[in-house]
Amino acid sequence: MSQAGLSVHEAGLGSMKETELGFQWTLRLRYILMKAKNVAEAKAIWLTTKNTFGMNHMIASASDVKNGSTPILVMETMRDYTAWFVDKDPREDNVNFTDPKTKKSYRAGYAMK
């Protein structure tokens, strides 16, 4: 967690679209922790750097919770592409998945605060 109250998260995500021409993700997140004071500043920094491969990242901000701004930002990435998600994002709700082996379908997505 940074002095400004930002924290970051990452989780792997398989993607065949990769490049070495970008800001390596661990250094990118550390740079954001060093420079940003809130989610808006973190996003601005993110937009000035390039993805290298598929990952899930999250930036959370204690100061944004206090001032009523969006307290989190989640990014799903691959080379040259970022999908942005905020809390209660409707794209995450009612996502269904069918297991290719059993053909059984179940709900796999829930919009979360």
Side-chain angles (χ1 to χ4, degrees):
M1 181 177 275
S2 72
Q3 288 182 347
L6 288 177
S7 64
V8 295
H9 156 84
E10 66 78 22
L13 176 68
S15 171
M16 300 303 286
K17 294 184 176 185
E18 300 179 1
T19 181
E20 294 180 6
L21 303 174
F23 205 157
Q24 199 271 339
W25 71 265
T26 52
L27 298 176
R28 190 183 202 185
L29 293 179
R30 288 181 63 85
Y31 185 77
I32 287 170
L33 288 173
M34 287 179 359
K35 300 292 184 179
K37 294 179 180 62
N38 54 46
V39 167
E41 288 183 14
K43 184 176 182 179
I45 292 169
W46 192 273
L47 289 169
T48 65
T49 58
K50 289 185 68 171
N51 301 331
T52 54
F53 68 105
M55 294 286 282
N56 288 329
H57 302 282
M58 181 178 72
I59 300 168
S61 168
S63 64
D64 284 324
V65 170
K66 291 178 185 175
N67 70 25
S69 298
T70 301
I72 65 163
L73 184 61
V74 175
M75 298 81 71
E76 291 187 8
T77 69
M78 67 177 75
R79 181 191 73 210
D80 300 325
Y81 178 77
T82 300
W84 305 92
F85 295 87
V86 296
D87 61 335
K88 298 182 186 175
D89 195 304
R91 293 174 294 169
E92 302 247 271
D93 219 4
N94 296 317
V95 173
N96 293 304
F97 174 77
T98 301
D99 186 312
K101 292 181 182 176
T102 66
K103 306 300 183 208
K104 183 178 178 181
S105 292
Y106 61 92
R107 184 174 174 189
Y110 299 86
M112 300 171 59
K113 184 174 180 179

